[in-house]
């Protein structure tokens, strides 16, 4: 069904998603990943670039990772079974081109369904296996930025519109730092807020150097929004802009002045900037799969869905085992690590 040719990383410049772009490949290669590019020729459908990231994740275990891939040509059959078969065929064809110690190939397929559609459409049959943990968030909210600003506001829940106005009324100001401006201090302020958030919610974060490098990477259009009140930094957002889409990558908030509703003001400012830059869509980049009050991140679901938009669901992470025995051992360990992380998140929720 497909043929694969090796290519220069520049071949991924025109990828649909930033996670499949050459820029993202260069960025991740600074942190232990090896980025390889390919051209995938799909029979009778056309060709698309493919970014594959590889790294050693344990002694003798190399993982190959395809974030939000494979991207399929516009003429590719829409049937979920056809797309699942394509992913499995791609893995089989790609395997000989990967490092010898590659134990499995992990996909985050980009296709999705909207809320209310049949979830069975996201199932992917053998030989792929559901991963023990997702890397990219499979569920998210997409905000349509094509209407006028007042119409975007009108699509939000009334409390969300009120909170945006409340933040301004109480004197919350928003400072914008553009990537590549060479300013380290705003990133350090953001990291302090992010550390507070991680401790409160029981989530894992990267080290400070990761975020500083992201803001200096050439070719990435990225902005940091920091909310201030009477000299206190109380919240911050990181948003990436690419083509017609803006993506909310990271958010952080302080343990103080949470009644000032700064996160609402930050999201609204980012949406307005995205619209001014020509973006037609704002991706809130990750929510729990449903409105379950017992989910450790239930508050995140309520917060993001309150801005309106369309809820979508992707298949999540799926694996193609190249070495079944080693893969089974790794998968068992990964399930245990996920269970421990989920318990930490649950403790974070109870401590709020």
């Amino acid at each position: 069904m497909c043929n694969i040719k090796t290519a220069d990383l520049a071949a991924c410049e025109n990828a649909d998603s930033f996670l499949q772009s050459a820029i993202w490949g260069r960025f991740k290669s600074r942190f232990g990943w090896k980025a390889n590019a390919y051209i995938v020729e799909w029979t009778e459908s056309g060709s698309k670039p493919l970014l594959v990231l590889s790294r050693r994740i344990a002694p003798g275990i190399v993982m190959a990772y395809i974030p939000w891939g494979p991207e399929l040509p516009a003429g590719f059959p829409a049937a979920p079974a056809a797309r699942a078969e394509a992913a499995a065929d791609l893995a089989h064809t790609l395997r000989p081109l990967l490092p010898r110690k590659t134990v499995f190939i992990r996909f985050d397929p980009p296709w999705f369904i909207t809320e209310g559609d049949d979830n069975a459409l996201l199932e992917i049959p053998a030989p792929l296996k559901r991963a023990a943990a997702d890397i990219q968030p499979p569920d998210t909210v997409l905000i349509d930025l094509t209407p006028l600003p007042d119409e975007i506001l009108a699509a939000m829940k009334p409390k969300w519109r009120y909170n945006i106005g409340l933040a301004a009324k109480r004197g919350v100001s928003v400072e914008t730092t553009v990537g590549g401006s060479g300013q380290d201090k705003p990133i350090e302020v953001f990291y302090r807020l992010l550390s507070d958030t991680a401790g409160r919610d029981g989530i894992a974060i990267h080290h400070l150097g990761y975020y500083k490098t992201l803001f200096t990477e050439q070719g990435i259009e990225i902005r940091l929004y920091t909310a201030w009140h009477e000299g206190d930094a109380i919240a911050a957002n990181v948003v990436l802009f690419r083509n017609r889409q803006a993506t909310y990558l990271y958010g952080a908030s302080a343990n103080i002045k949470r009644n000032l509703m700064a996160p609402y003001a930050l999201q609204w400012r980012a949406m307005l900037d995205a619209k001014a830059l020509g973006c037609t869509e704002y991706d809130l980049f990750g929510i729990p799969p449903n409105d379950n009050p017992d989910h450790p991140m239930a508050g995140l679901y309520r917060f993001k869905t309150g801005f309106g938009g369309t809820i979508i669901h992707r298949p999540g992470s799926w694996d193609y085992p190249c070495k079944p025995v080693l893969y089974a051992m790794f998968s068992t360990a990964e399930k245990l690590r996920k269970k421990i992380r989920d318990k930490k998140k649950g403790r974070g929720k109870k401590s709020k």
Side-chain angles (χ1 to χ4, degrees):
M1 184 179 290
C2 71
N3 294 310
I4 300 177
K5 297 179 181 178
T6 57
D8 293 332
L9 199 56
C12 292
E13 292 287 358
N14 296 323
D16 297 332
S17 167
F18 77 92
L19 288 169
Q20 275 289 300
S21 69
I23 294 168
W24 195 251
R26 287 196 296 270
F27 170 65
K28 297 301 286 186
S29 67
R30 295 172 180 258
F31 297 97
W33 293 90
K34 182 178 180 182
N36 288 309
Y38 304 89
I39 298 295
V40 183
E41 297 176 343
W42 299 97
T43 306
E44 299 180 356
S45 297
S47 62
K48 293 287 284 187
L50 181 75
L51 175 67
V52 181
L53 304 173
S54 301
R55 71 178 297 173
R56 188 175 75 96
I57 54 176
I61 296 180
V62 171
M63 165 190 176
Y65 176 48
I66 303 175
W68 277 4
E71 294 180 353
L72 300 172
F76 200 90
R83 295 183 171 220
E85 183 182 352
D89 184 62
L90 174 63
H92 178 76
T93 308
L94 182 63
R95 179 179 176 181
L97 303 176
L98 298 175
R100 183 174 56 85
K101 292 185 178 181
T102 300
V103 171
F104 64 98
I105 304 168
R106 178 159 294 178
F107 293 89
D108 272 315
W111 48 85
F112 60 85
I113 61 171
T114 57
E115 181 81 351
D117 288 341
D118 185 0
N119 285 337
L121 298 177
L122 298 178
E123 291 299 315
I124 298 182
L128 270 63
K129 299 179 179 293
R130 188 69 171 93
D134 293 316
I135 296 182
Q136 303 303 329
D139 311 286
T140 190
V141 181
L142 302 178
I143 307 294
D144 180 9
L145 297 179
T146 57
L148 294 171
D150 285 349
E151 294 172 327
I152 298 173
L153 274 172
M156 298 180 189
K157 292 181 178 178
K159 185 67 173 178
W160 272 242
R161 295 195 297 272
Y162 175 80
N163 287 342
I164 289 170
L166 182 66
K169 186 182 297 184
R170 292 186 174 177
V172 174
S173 61
V174 178
E175 176 184 277
T176 304
T177 303
V178 179
S181 58
Q183 301 183 55
D184 279 350
K185 187 174 180 180
I187 312 302
E188 292 166 0
V189 170
F190 159 72
Y191 192 73
R192 288 199 298 270
L193 293 170
L194 188 63
S195 298
D196 287 346
T197 304
R200 188 173 63 240
D201 294 345
I203 59 175
I205 60 175
H206 297 286
H207 55 83
L208 175 59
Y210 183 92
Y211 303 101
K212 284 187 173 181
T213 302
L214 180 61
F215 269 81
T216 58
E217 187 68 39
Q218 294 296 314
I220 293 181
E221 175 70 27
I222 195 165
R223 296 186 183 186
L224 167 64
Y225 298 90
T226 308
W228 293 85
H229 182 264
E230 297 179 349
D232 295 321
I234 55 177
N237 285 359
V238 175
V239 180
L240 183 147
F241 305 84
R242 186 172 186 271
N243 298 332
R244 308 291 283 181
Q245 187 175 70
T247 304
Y248 165 49
L249 289 183
Y250 308 110
S253 60
N255 296 324
I256 61 170
K257 300 186 177 181
R258 295 170 65 81
N259 62 320
L260 298 183
M261 306 302 166
Y264 296 84
L266 292 175
Q267 293 292 355
W268 181 232
R269 171 65 67 82
M271 289 180 199
L272 290 177
D273 281 3
K275 185 173 178 63
L277 290 169
C279 295
T280 57
E281 189 174 72
Y282 187 84
D283 186 351
L284 282 159
F285 208 57
I287 57 172
N290 51 54
D291 188 10
N292 178 2
D294 294 325
H295 192 284
M297 303 302 286
L300 188 69
Y301 184 97
R302 291 192 295 272
F303 174 68
K304 291 187 177 182
T305 57
F307 288 101
T310 301
I311 298 173
I312 69 166
H313 305 285
R314 295 187 178 92
S317 296
W318 289 78
D319 295 337
Y320 178 88
C322 302
K323 300 180 186 295
V325 175
L326 286 175
Y327 172 75
M329 294 170 60
F330 173 81
S331 183
T332 298
E334 189 176 38
K335 288 176 183 175
L336 179 60
R337 286 197 301 272
K338 183 178 185 300
K339 191 174 183 179
I340 293 172
R341 287 198 303 268
D342 288 347
K343 283 185 178 179
K344 289 182 179 179
K345 289 180 182 178
R347 287 197 296 269
K349 178 184 176 184
K350 291 176 184 177
S351 67
K352 291 182 182 178

